[in-house]
Amino acid sequence: MDEVIVAENLRKEYGTFRAVDGISFQVQRGECFGLLGPNGAGKTTTIRMLYGFTPKSAGSLSVLGLDLDTNLRTIKGRLGVCQQENTLDPDLTIEQNLEVFARYFDIPKGESRRRADELLAFIALDHRRHAKIPELSGGMMRRLMLARALINNPEIVILDEPTTGLDPQSRHQVWDRLEVLKNRGLSILLTTHYMDEAARLCDRLVIIDHGRILVEGEPRALIRRHVGDHLIEIVDPTDRLCTYIKNERLEHENLGYRMIVYAQEQGLYAKICSLGAQGCSLRQATLEDVFLRLTGRELRE
Amino acid sequence: MKGAWRVWQRNWTVYRQTWRISFVPPLLEPLFYLLAFGIGLSALIGEITYRGVGISYIAFIAPALIAINIMQSAFFENTYASFVRMYYQKTFNAMLATPLSLEEVITGEIVWGATRSLIGTAIMMAVISAFGLIRYPEGLLLLPLALLGGLAFGAIAMLFTSIVPNIETFNLPIFLFITPMFLFSGTFFPIDALPPWAGSLAQFLPLTHLVRLARDLSYGQIGPEVFGSLAYLLLFTLVAYLLALRGMARRIIR
């Protein structure tokens, strides 16, 4: 397996603020790699450094085996970037958005028309090709952003929060398209703060916070390592139960009206239920549990 | 710099969809001015002495109207229109995720602004020629002049675009820079009519030189003095262009 992205000790400073504080990771060819983290963790800054939009303060970055500092134009020609904010061109139709974008990559007219047709069919917008951008729904715009990022047949697509703000139907449609791309062997790097998205799409991921990597690994392995397969959630725990958990030194998190117990042993669930908690449930641990455990529960605003 | 051409093409693609509307102002504006100032004021003013030769007032202002249009076309394109693309539509951000560089994006925008000046000049020349106020073939040189003037005012406009905090702030350069130039660059009366200190000050205004060149080309009086004005415009363009590139890099690359 070869690495399509190698980031080493990547840093970005704004004055004294370190947005990205020494991040290292590799993306393998053909995998979907996730950058997870709460708002302001440094995801977007990292991604912007990957396509040269934001110059890095320190560290080294190689994309497709080329050093980013000296080969930026070549690298950008082989990347597909789907930015977080809508950057579609409202002065142009759907079809023109793709064709005008193709010109930026020096794709000849006949070829760009053929690719635009193909991509519009791929994102199921071929019936709206002459529509203007403001006529589209949020989901359609996001699909078009994805199609536009594919116009140059990129070897890597970089997606910055591809489904933020979409309704469930649209999210699933985007995921479905991304899975098709993954099966075609495209390397994907995505940022998200939706854990279900990361669990579904990512082969490997890192969770970052305050500009640093907290953990790296496969989603399932991360869950097993940091939370375990299951956890017990208790609504309104009784005092008796609290004392029991404290005395037994069970790994837990007390959220006041709710308590999460990370312990694994068989029989514990029955024991806890018998101690008189009302809403007590045993459930499968998710990536979200890992995420909240590692990045904390306080709001990021 | 091939990328700059791609950026230009993007604007041309958009322009072709709305050209009917964009065509109207340069067509009607000279007509209005020629009617109001030329016919209305001419009767009061009579002849005006320009470079020792008496000419009608309408012949005096016709080239100035072209110069003003060159200034305004590029300036408005690279302030309001470029700002909308940069700030509201995020068009530059999208372009920067492709092989295009920021220098190419900004250069393409400025050359597009100059193209708007060129289109406007061509339309105005057609109208003004109908009054017999442009001498040919020398008058054809107004077209390359429109490009040069467009680059000068497009570049300075782009510099303002790189520093204004919001779109309303453009009122400031328009009120403090464009409007005084519109009035005091030898457009509607000769610079000699100004007090000497103001006359010397007017020599630093790019529109003064653009108006002078537009007159010389329209009248077919091309002498060595055109080179001074040309050199000033070129220098102005170069400095404004470099400052605009620097300002834009500061604004966009974070």
Side-chain angles (χ1 to χ4, degrees):
Chain A
M1 263 218 191
D2 55 337
E3 285 109 13
V4 288
I5 297 176
V6 182
E8 265 165 41
N9 209 13
L10 216 51
R11 278 172 201 279
K12 180 66 193 180
E13 280 145 25
Y14 296 103
T16 54
F17 172 66
R18 286 191 172 164
V20 176
D21 190 9
I23 280 185
S24 303
F25 63 90
Q26 288 97 38
V27 180
Q28 311 288 335
R29 186 175 293 278
E31 79 171 339
C32 177
F33 187 87
L35 279 177
L36 276 60
N39 286 336
K43 303 186 298 286
T44 297
T45 310
T46 304
I47 261 191
R48 283 180 163 183
M49 287 193 272
L50 286 178
Y51 64 93
F53 191 90
T54 294
K56 59 183 163 55
S57 304
S60 77
L61 198 48
S62 128
V63 180
L64 294 163
L66 301 166
D67 184 55
L68 190 93
D69 294 338
T70 46
N71 300 282
L72 185 58
R73 193 184 288 261
T74 315
I75 290 172
K76 287 206 290 180
R78 293 162 67 183
L79 287 183
V81 180
C82 190
Q83 289 153 325
Q84 191 177 327
E85 73 269 32
N86 170 16
T87 60
L88 295 170
D89 201 322
D91 296 333
L92 301 170
T93 65
I94 289 183
E95 190 175 45
Q96 286 175 322
N97 258 278
L98 296 179
E99 289 176 5
V100 167
F101 219 66
R103 287 204 294 238
Y104 302 153
F105 291 91
D106 268 334
I107 300 167
K109 197 171 176 119
E111 176 68 13
S112 76
R113 184 147 288 179
R114 200 183 56 74
R115 287 194 203 173
D117 283 347
E118 222 175 82
L119 287 168
L120 287 176
F122 179 69
I123 58 164
L125 276 181
D126 33 358
H127 61 297
R128 302 291 304 271
R129 60 177 64 230
H130 300 301
K132 288 264 185 179
I133 301 304
E135 300 165 20
L136 301 184
S137 70
M140 288 173 170
M141 288 193 208
R142 201 46 70 99
R143 269 145 59 205
L144 185 56
M145 286 282 288
L146 177 63
R148 198 181 65 172
L150 298 171
I151 195 78
N152 58 324
N153 281 335
E155 290 163 69
I156 310 171
V157 263
I158 294 178
L159 305 149
D160 196 357
E161 297 188 11
T163 63
T164 298
L166 299 187
D167 64 21
Q169 284 80 2
S170 303
R171 289 178 75 201
H172 280 270
Q173 203 169 14
V174 170
W175 290 346
D176 173 68
R177 296 295 87 187
L178 291 177
E179 275 165 345
V180 171
L181 294 173
K182 208 172 110 177
N183 291 336
R184 287 184 191 166
L186 199 66
S187 312
I188 300 173
L189 181 117
L190 72 89
T191 75
T192 182
H193 42 225
Y194 295 131
M195 297 303 123
D196 47 345
E197 178 165 297
R200 176 162 168 183
L201 294 173
C202 296
D203 300 304
R204 284 188 318 125
L205 57 88
V206 290
I207 296 181
I208 62 178
D209 199 10
H210 305 297
R212 289 169 184 269
I213 293 182
L214 301 177
V215 287
E216 171 172 359
E218 294 168 21
R220 281 174 174 282
L222 284 175
I223 295 169
R224 207 165 301 133
R225 186 167 1 130
H226 294 279
V227 184
D229 289 326
H230 295 87
L231 50 77
I232 302 163
E233 222 175 302
I234 306 146
V235 181
D236 285 331
T238 58
D239 292 343
R240 220 163 60 136
L241 185 56
C242 291
T243 323
Y244 170 78
I245 287 169
K246 229 171 258 170
N247 290 343
E248 295 288 311
R249 294 172 188 270
L250 296 175
E251 268 197 84
H252 71 284
E253 236 177 304
N254 195 347
L255 310 170
Y257 59 95
R258 220 157 54 91
M259 190 178 253
I260 293 167
V261 180
Y262 294 111
Q264 299 301 307
E265 306 115 74
Q266 298 287 325
L268 187 66
Y269 175 61
K271 176 73 185 161
I272 284 175
C273 285
S274 72
L275 282 168
Q278 289 283 315
C280 175
S281 59
L282 179 71
R283 64 168 173 82
Q284 200 158 32
T286 65
L287 205 50
E288 188 134 345
D289 298 310
V290 180
F291 186 85
L292 289 173
R293 203 169 183 198
L294 293 172
T295 61
R297 288 173 188 272
E298 75 274 19
L299 286 178
R300 306 301 174 92
E301 281 165 346
Chain B
M1 272 294 159
K2 191 179 184 183
W5 160 240
R6 298 297 182 203
V7 176
W8 185 94
Q9 269 186 312
R10 180 258 167 223
N11 290 331
W12 174 245
T13 302
V14 176
Y15 178 79
R16 276 189 325 197
Q17 300 168 359
T18 54
W19 67 272
R20 285 176 197 87
I21 303 158
S22 317
F23 247 62
V24 176
L27 206 62
L28 291 185
E29 206 184 350
L31 276 178
F32 291 161
Y33 275 98
L34 288 178
L35 283 176
F37 287 80
I39 297 165
L41 271 180
S42 267
L44 298 173
I45 295 167
E47 282 205 333
I48 218 164
T49 311
Y50 181 71
R51 296 222 168 135
V53 185
I55 50 171
S56 71
Y57 187 63
I58 193 168
F60 179 74
I61 63 161
L65 295 178
I66 291 179
I68 288 166
N69 190 271
I70 291 170
M71 167 177 82
Q72 288 179 340
S73 299
F75 195 83
F76 283 94
E77 183 65 30
N78 288 135
T79 47
Y80 288 103
S82 289
F83 190 87
V84 166
R85 288 191 280 274
M86 170 187 78
Y87 187 84
Y88 294 104
Q89 305 185 355
K90 311 275 179 210
T91 311
F92 298 180
N93 287 9
M95 287 171 170
L96 290 175
T98 74
L100 303 181
S101 68
L102 183 64
E103 288 76 20
E104 289 170 329
V105 173
I106 301 310
T107 307
E109 285 281 307
I110 294 173
V111 174
W112 171 247
T115 308
R116 292 297 303 264
S117 299
L118 177 67
I119 297 169
T121 297
I123 300 165
M124 288 184 73
M125 279 169 69
V127 177
I128 293 171
S129 299
F131 291 78
L133 295 172
I134 298 175
R135 201 173 117 167
Y136 288 99
E138 294 91 333
L140 286 175
L141 288 171
L142 285 168
L143 295 171
L145 180 70
L147 267 184
L148 173 61
L151 289 175
F153 286 104
I156 190 83
M158 205 40 115
L159 175 59
F160 287 124
T161 300
S162 76
I163 53 179
V164 292
N166 50 46
I167 200 161
E168 287 79 22
T169 310
F170 284 130
N171 286 328
L172 227 56
I174 286 167
F175 199 71
L176 298 176
F177 180 65
I178 297 296
T179 307
M181 263 197 297
F182 171 79
L183 294 171
F184 301 112
S185 296
T187 42
F188 299 107
F189 58 89
I191 288 181
D192 317 338
L194 291 169
W197 64 268
S200 327
L201 219 55
Q203 297 304 323
F204 290 96
L205 301 176
L207 187 62
T208 300
H209 298 278
L210 192 60
V211 168
R212 195 174 288 159
L213 288 165
R215 285 211 173 97
D216 289 351
L217 299 182
S218 299
Y219 306 154
Q221 294 178 330
I222 304 168
E225 65 279 356
V226 300
F227 292 106
S229 288
L230 273 178
Y232 181 83
L233 279 183
L234 280 169
L235 185 72
F236 183 90
T237 306
L238 185 70
V239 172
Y241 173 63
L242 293 175
L243 289 176
L245 285 184
R246 209 179 66 157
M248 275 297 172
R250 273 194 195 164
R251 175 160 202 146
I252 291 181
I253 310 280
R254 277 166 291 126

